[in-house]
Amino acid sequence: MNKDRIMLGIAPIGWTNDDMPDLGAENTFQQCVSEMALAGFSGCEIGNKYPSDPIELKKALDLRNMKIANRWFSSFILSKPFSEVEEDFRKNCSFLQAVGAGRIGASEQSGSIQGTDKGVFDCKPVMTDKEWKELCLGLNRLGAIALEYGISLVYHHHMGTVVQTPEEIDRLMAGTDPKLFSLLYDTGHLAYMGADYLDVLKKHVARIKHVHLKDIRPDVVAEVKKNHLSFLQGVRKGTFTVPGDGSIDFKPVFDVLDKAGYEGWLLVEAEQDPAVANPFEYALKAREYIRRTAGI
């Protein structure tokens, strides 16, 4: 890949888990960002232990030649007044603008089961036609707001939510404005559900503005499905891992992105139990795999 077009980052969720704070409770923010930089990454997303003061955060990252790539945003367009969603969204955009980030990654959480004890393969929420229209309209509105801050809105398709399948991704992209809205492409969530992640990439690569490199362990996924386990139970058991440690061949992914002239972040995101999968060790493993496979 062309290293002049690509920035490499890693998510803090391997060090400290936002949904299950006991995972990595012992790991500090300073340790997390120091190990990220030491492993050879130049950026990250925002975790639950990051400073809430953008000046403090930016200083800590500048010392390590690191940048903020993106921040997760839980949208509730289908279940809350839009004014409430907009107020929260603007606060997040303002923070990201202050730290110099260019992306905000939304995921509609109305009806989501990703943080519940429901079986992730059994209880996925499904939208009505009316809800689809409402979601697409709301995301277009958020996308326009993000541009006021010089930030691009990207959508994170996710297991256990209203936008999970390739068909749902297709409908989301067809119903939104390309000038206002782009896709956050996540290999792991598509592979998890058994979808053709490469086909989704090829179909939507022109509108992808952020990439999560996430690998899976098929034996754990099979256990989750067989025993009707929840998304978070799967994480604890090791559903996800870093590129090069699971079953996904990322070479074709890198090739498609490179051929399309993708510019932006490739960000390793693999939530695991840090007591089992040492985050620094796995960050080094991911960085070496990307170097070897993508040539960057």
Side-chain angles (χ1 to χ4, degrees), residues 7 42-45 61-62 65-70 99-100 265:
M7 297 171 287
S42 59
C44 59
E45 295 182 343
L61 294 175
D62 285 347
N65 292 315
M66 295 272 289
K67 299 180 184 298
I68 293 295
N70 174 46
V99 296
W265 289 95

Side-chain angles (χ1 to χ4, degrees), residues 124-174:
K124 180 200 170 310
V126 177
M127 287 186 284
T128 64
D129 289 344
K130 180 182 177 182
E131 288 172 329
W132 268 109
K133 291 179 182 177
E134 184 179 356
L135 178 63
C136 290
L137 176 62
L139 289 171
N140 278 338
R141 292 175 69 183
L142 291 183
I145 292 168
L147 290 177
E148 295 176 22
Y149 297 84
I151 294 169
S152 294
L153 173 64
V154 293
Y155 192 90
H156 192 340
H157 56 93
H158 199 288
M159 289 293 294
T161 70
V162 290
V163 182
Q164 169 185 301
T165 70
E167 294 76 18
E168 288 164 342
I169 293 171
D170 290 347
R171 189 165 180 177
L172 180 74
M173 302 310 282

Side-chain angles (χ1 to χ4, degrees), residues 36-233:
M36 289 172 170
L38 190 58
F41 293 93
S42 59
C44 59
E45 295 182 343
I46 294 176
N48 61 0
K49 291 187 179 179
Y50 280 42
S52 58
D53 178 354
I55 296 175
E56 181 184 351
L57 175 57
K58 193 170 185 308
K59 179 181 178 181
L61 294 175
D62 285 347
L63 287 171
R64 297 163 174 83
N65 292 315
M66 295 272 289
K67 299 180 184 298
I68 293 295
N70 174 46
R71 183 178 207 171
W72 170 280
F73 176 75
S74 294
S75 63
F76 292 90
I77 292 169
L78 302 179
S79 55
K80 289 184 179 181
F82 188 80
S83 58
E84 288 184 24
V85 178
E86 178 179 350
E87 181 180 5
D88 187 20
F89 188 72
R90 285 189 180 276
K91 287 178 181 176
N92 278 270
C93 285
S94 180
F95 186 90
L96 289 170
Q97 183 184 53
V99 296
R103 303 285 183 268
I104 182 166
S107 179
E108 179 63 22
Q109 290 297 295
S110 299
S112 171
I113 62 166
Q114 71 182 70
T116 73
D117 60 359
K118 295 181 178 179
V120 70
F121 282 101
D122 307 313
C123 305
K124 180 200 170 310
V126 177
M127 287 186 284
T128 64
D129 289 344
K130 180 182 177 182
E131 288 172 329
W132 268 109
K133 291 179 182 177
E134 184 179 356
L135 178 63
C136 290
L137 176 62
L139 289 171
N140 278 338
R141 292 175 69 183
L142 291 183
I145 292 168
L147 290 177
E148 295 176 22
Y149 297 84
I151 294 169
S152 294
L153 173 64
V154 293
Y155 192 90
H156 192 340
H157 56 93
H158 199 288
M159 289 293 294
T161 70
V162 290
V163 182
Q164 169 185 301
T165 70
E167 294 76 18
E168 288 164 342
I169 293 171
D170 290 347
R171 189 165 180 177
L172 180 74
M173 302 310 282
T176 50
D177 187 340
K179 300 187 202 67
L180 304 175
F181 182 86
S182 301
L183 184 66
L184 186 163
Y185 172 74
D186 189 305
T187 52
H189 283 278
L190 288 166
Y192 192 130
M193 64 162 293
D196 186 336
Y197 54 87
L198 202 58
D199 181 65
V200 173
L201 174 61
K202 291 175 181 177
K203 187 180 294 186
H204 298 294
V205 68
R207 288 181 67 185
I208 290 170
K209 284 194 174 181
H210 198 67
V211 175
H212 277 175
L213 304 177
K214 187 198 296 278
D215 213 335
I216 63 164
R217 296 185 176 97
D219 57 330
V220 182
V221 172
E223 181 184 353
V224 170
K225 193 169 189 176
K226 178 183 177 182
N227 296 327
H228 308 282
L229 301 182
S230 71
F231 178 77
L232 296 183
Q233 286 174 315

